[in-house]
Amino acid sequence: MDRWLNKSRNTVGSSSSDANENKCVTPNNSASLKRANSPPNKQSDTGTSATTVSKRRKYDENYISFGFIHENSYPQCVVCSKVFPNSSMVPAKLRRHLETNHTNVKDKPVDYFIRLRDQLLKNKNFIAEVTKTENEKATEASYMVSYRIAQAGKAHTIAENLIKPCVNDIVSCMLDEKAVKKINTIPLSNDTVRRRINDISTHIKSELISRLKCNNFALQMDESTDVSGLAVLLVFVRYKYQTSLEEDLLLCQPLSTYTTGYEIFNMLNNFFEIEGLTWDNCIDICTDGAKAMVGKTAGVVSRIKEVTNNCSNSHCIFHRQALAIKKMPIPLKNVLDEAVKIINFVKSRPLSTRLFTILCEDMGSMHKSLLYHTEIRWLSRGKTLVRLLELRNELYVFFTDHPFNLQLRLSDKIWLFRLSYLADIFTKLNEVNLSIQESIDGNIEDFDEIYGEIEQHLNEILSSLEKYFPESKDIEFIQRYNWVKNPFLINDKPEDLSITEYEEFIEMTTDSSLKTLFDKISLTDFWCSSSITNEYQSLAKKAILALLPFATTYLCETGFSSYASMKTKYRNKLDAEADMRIQLSPIKPNIKILVNKKSQHHGSH
């Protein structure tokens, strides 16, 4: 080493012509450095490129004796941390820098420079780690804010336009400007929030798919049209996960063309094939009973049953109730239609609504407004009609000297009697019925005729209920799965259980600790609990299969409500699938995993 050092030191005089090249990298000469050391452009020929590459000097481990290490093919001084151009990587130039700028350490042994090198590398790693940690925290905060925005169904621009300025104001008041600068490093632009929401949605979706691949599940689906005229298909899934039955959004995608059973099935089937799901795990499908869903040949359910033999189907109870109550005698139907017209006349006109509210306040009424009803949820008609009956006097005063052609209905006792019956049959509010009857007793000439209409209506309702809710199927289902509802009240052997399963059933029902557990938790949680699934696997499996199917399409109805509030006329171009999945899914995303997957943080601000 000493012989090499002496030889290197003897070359100092012969290298004076290269002194002008021994310059550190500064902002003034960085551009020329890049031109000198950058690879040739595309117009250069192959020979020139090879010559340029061969001229780049290589670092030698012995250069540490001059206090230099290499930083991306450039020499760096371990004393002052300056980085020099690649052309300075020669012993004479390195030694000249040491003797000229660091005279106090030029005679230090090599071990001294090695210690400085280790300290410099340690500092570099520390700075890189701190910078990386700050970036990761900013990215994590960006994901968490985006998650909250999607859960609330708000516009993605709210992060940059409202949330970030508010946080800056709070931090500047409560902390200091240094904290404000850290807040400003959090990327919350519209595009960034959209990417974060897509990442979180993909993460939740992959977790859901992994759960469904090893479990049986039931589906409910419905189709509707959004504000932009786009037909949207919603599919929810119920499955067992750990110690409970979970319900989650499986699919929210637009139907580009028709809304037939063929198109819906193709979308579902393609989704299953892409995600690796099998139809054999699907045990039941609940729909609204539309032709596209339950058609005998072209319906979605029929096509699904062609690819699997284990799938049954059910008709939503809400829609069956709506269908069962639709038929009624013409006089009663006319009363219901006229009642709706009266309500719409007031509710659909802002001026009429305001004037009617003021009138109700002046008259000291219990209520100040009328109610709308939902077509599918037919029981809501009862509340609507009851409110109309309660405000009939206010409405009569409101329509005084008004050209509305249904004003006289509010003083027609026969019309009011029919209306009271409809309110009673929908809500069971007998006191309303009786109060109306008391006000018209002795004045009705066609009393028998009205009761004939009522009797006819009740008979039609009874026949419709028998059609849509056949008692034979209910009895068959109860007899088959009554042991699931309350196993501790069953004395006889259930028909659905084998001899071995019945022996397990007897053992389970004689366990007092399980009886205590059954009384404390819900029915589904009991059969999904580890105490049952571990010790009585066959019983738990059969019970869960009986509890999995949906009874209604309620989740689809609430899902479309969330969709409508999210995709408004101001956001009619929104692809709402990612936001919907985050808003409706019970699965909590692992933000740490998403942050670690990011190879480059701060993609956008």
Side-chain angles (χ1 to χ4, degrees):
M1 174 66 71
D2 294 338
R3 184 182 304 170
W4 184 88
L5 286 173
N6 293 333
K7 182 178 179 181
S8 300
R9 289 169 181 171
N10 291 334
T11 61
V12 174
S14 61
S15 303
S16 57
S17 60
D18 296 332
N20 60 334
E21 296 180 6
N22 190 14
K23 300 177 182 177
C24 63
V25 179
T26 63
N28 296 330
N29 61 10
S30 59
S32 59
L33 251 177
K34 291 180 180 178
R35 288 193 297 269
N37 295 286
S38 60
N41 54 30
K42 295 182 179 180
Q43 286 77 15
S44 302
D45 54 17
T46 307
T48 304
S49 176
T51 303
T52 304
V53 173
S54 64
K55 286 182 178 181
R56 295 184 64 83
R57 302 181 185 276
K58 295 182 179 180
Y59 178 78
D60 192 294
E61 295 296 334
N62 294 320
Y63 292 168
I64 189 62
S65 61
F66 300 117
F68 277 87
I69 60 174
H70 69 97
E71 177 70 18
N72 296 327
S73 300
Y74 298 107
Q76 182 180 18
C77 178
V78 297
V79 181
C80 62
S81 301
K82 289 183 179 180
V83 180
F84 295 87
N86 181 262
S87 60
S88 298
M89 193 150 344
V90 292
K93 297 179 181 180
L94 303 181
R95 185 178 183 278
R96 183 182 300 113
H97 172 78
L98 177 65
E99 293 180 347
T100 304
N101 298 280
H102 310 296
T103 56
N104 57 328
V105 297
K106 65 178 181 178
D107 296 326
K108 294 288 184 179
V110 177
D111 293 339
Y112 173 77
F113 297 112
I114 292 176
R115 288 199 307 273
L116 292 181
R117 178 196 65 185
D118 295 342
Q119 185 63 36
L120 178 62
L121 295 177
K122 184 178 179 181
N123 292 340
K124 284 184 177 181
N125 293 333
F126 176 75
I127 294 173
E129 187 65 28
V130 170
T131 304
K132 180 181 178 182
T133 302
E134 293 295 332
N135 289 346
E136 287 180 350
K137 289 182 179 179
T139 305
E140 183 178 357
S142 175
Y143 271 107
M144 295 178 70
V145 172
S146 302
Y147 180 65
R148 297 289 185 185
I149 292 173
Q151 277 192 318
K154 300 299 182 180
H156 301 168
T157 55
I158 195 175
E160 191 173 28
N161 297 338
L162 180 61
I163 296 177
K164 196 170 185 178
C166 289
V167 174
N168 281 338
D169 293 340
I170 295 172
V171 171
S172 63
C173 293
M174 302 298 295
L175 300 175
D176 51 24
E177 291 301 322
K178 184 178 180 181
V180 174
K181 291 181 179 179
K182 288 187 177 181
I183 296 297
N184 287 329
T185 62
I186 302 175
L188 289 176
S189 68
N190 178 44
D191 292 339
T192 300
V193 172
R194 177 181 54 80
R195 290 197 302 270
R196 300 287 190 257
I197 290 176
N198 289 336
D199 292 342
I200 296 173
S201 175
T202 302
H203 175 73
I204 293 175
K205 179 181 175 182
S206 61
E207 174 65 22
L208 174 62
I209 296 300
S210 64
R211 296 180 183 182
L212 296 180
K213 287 182 178 179
C214 55
N215 283 296
N216 291 321
F217 54 85
L219 302 177
Q220 68 167 269
M221 65 181 71
D222 200 359
E223 172 268 327
S224 185
T225 305
D226 64 13
V227 67
S228 63
L230 193 66
V232 179
L233 176 67
L234 281 187
V235 181
F236 282 84
V237 61
R238 177 187 284 167
Y239 60 96
K240 178 187 175 297
Y241 179 68
Q242 294 181 352
T243 59
S244 63
L245 295 182
E246 298 287 345
E247 297 172 345
D248 206 334
L249 176 66
L250 179 64
L251 183 66
C252 174
Q253 290 186 5
L255 295 163
S256 57
T257 56
Y258 300 101
T259 58
T260 61
Y262 174 79
E263 297 293 338
I264 296 174
F265 173 76
N266 281 346
M267 176 175 288
L268 274 173
N269 195 48
N270 291 337
F271 179 83
F272 271 55
E273 291 178 354
I274 293 173
E275 302 300 337
L277 298 176
T278 173
W279 283 110
D280 292 334
N281 290 342
C282 180
I283 65 167
D284 187 81
I285 301 173
C286 182
T287 65
D288 59 356
K291 184 178 180 181
M293 297 293 181
V294 296
K296 291 184 178 180
T297 56
V300 178
V301 176
S302 301
R303 295 180 182 275
I304 292 176
K305 288 184 177 181
E306 291 178 0
V307 297
T308 178
N309 297 324
N310 302 324
C311 185
S312 60
N313 68 292
S314 56
H315 190 178
C316 171
I317 291 178
F318 292 154
H319 289 82
R320 281 190 283 171
Q321 289 174 340
L323 292 172
I325 207 68
K326 262 190 172 182
K327 289 185 178 181
M328 64 176 62
I330 294 178
L332 294 177
K333 182 67 169 61
N334 293 336
V335 169
L336 182 61
D337 293 340
E338 290 171 349
V340 172
K341 288 180 181 179
I342 293 174
I343 295 171
N344 289 340
F345 184 86
V346 178
K347 293 285 289 182
S348 62
R349 293 169 172 81
L351 177 60
S352 298
T353 302
R354 295 195 300 270
L355 294 177
F356 184 71
T357 301
I358 296 173
L359 176 64
C360 291
E361 291 176 352
D362 294 341
M363 296 181 65
S365 304
M366 184 184 302
H367 307 290
K368 299 178 182 179
S369 63
L370 299 171
L371 300 177
Y372 281 128
H373 81 277
T374 303
E375 185 66 24
I376 295 301
R377 303 296 296 272
W378 62 272
L379 289 175
S380 66
R381 296 179 190 172
K383 296 180 180 180
T384 302
L385 299 180
V386 168
R387 179 66 60 86
L388 178 61
L389 285 170
E390 292 174 345
L391 296 177
R392 63 188 184 278
N393 295 326
E394 289 81 354
L395 284 169
Y396 185 80
V397 174
F398 180 77
F399 288 123
T400 302
D401 299 330
H402 197 285
F404 186 56
N405 58 352
L406 295 178
Q407 175 195 4
L408 297 178
R409 294 299 190 188
L410 298 170
S411 60
D412 185 349
K413 294 184 177 180
I414 296 178
W415 189 88
L416 289 174
F417 187 88
R418 290 190 175 109
L419 184 65
S420 67
Y421 161 73
L422 293 176
D424 181 58
I425 199 66
F426 283 128
T427 61
K428 307 301 181 186
L429 296 178
N430 295 319
E431 64 275 8
V432 176
N433 189 308
L434 291 175
S435 65
I436 299 298
Q437 289 187 43
E438 291 172 359
S439 65
I440 58 178
D441 275 347
N443 297 319
I444 300 181
E445 299 177 356
D446 300 326
F447 196 79
D448 294 336
E449 179 183 351
I450 295 177
Y451 269 101
E453 295 171 1
I454 293 175
E455 182 180 2
Q456 179 186 352
H457 185 216
L458 292 176
N459 289 331
E460 290 177 353
I461 291 177
L462 180 61
S463 61
S464 296
L465 289 175
E466 290 176 351
K467 175 183 177 182
Y468 290 103
F469 298 91
E471 187 178 356
S472 58
K473 287 188 177 181
D474 294 339
I475 294 175
E476 179 184 355
F477 183 85
I478 291 173
Q479 290 177 348
R480 184 176 181 183
Y481 293 111
N482 193 35
W483 63 274
V484 177
K485 181 180 179 181
N486 193 337
F488 300 95
L489 296 180
I490 302 300
N491 296 322
D492 300 330
K493 175 182 175 299
E495 298 178 359
D496 197 43
L497 301 182
S498 63
I499 300 298
T500 306
E501 292 171 342
Y502 183 55
E503 292 176 355
E504 292 183 359
F505 181 78
I506 294 175
E507 181 182 350
M508 181 189 71
T509 54
T510 54
D511 192 332
S512 58
S513 62
L514 294 179
K515 177 65 170 64
T516 304
L517 179 65
F518 180 82
D519 295 334
K520 288 183 177 180
I521 61 178
S522 65
L523 181 63
T524 55
D525 290 344
F526 171 77
W527 286 109
C528 294
S529 63
S530 56
S531 301
I532 302 298
T533 55
N534 293 337
E535 298 182 35
Y536 310 101
Q537 295 182 3
S538 59
L539 291 178
K541 184 177 181 180
K542 283 192 173 184
I544 291 171
L545 290 179
L547 296 172
L548 267 181
F550 289 102
T552 68
T553 57
Y554 176 75
L555 292 178
C556 288
E557 293 182 20
T558 57
F560 281 123
S561 297
S562 301
Y563 188 97
S565 64
M566 183 186 306
K567 188 172 182 178
T568 63
K569 63 180 181 179
Y570 303 107
R571 305 176 69 194
N572 56 10
K573 300 298 182 182
L574 174 68
D575 184 3
E577 180 179 7
D579 298 73
M580 286 281 289
R581 188 176 298 281
I582 294 174
Q583 186 175 3
L584 301 177
S585 176
I587 299 175
K588 302 298 181 182
N590 193 329
I591 303 297
K592 296 289 186 182
I593 293 178
L594 295 174
V595 173
N596 293 334
K597 285 182 178 180
K598 283 292 179 183
S599 58
Q600 181 180 0
H601 304 302
H602 291 267
S604 171
H605 289 275

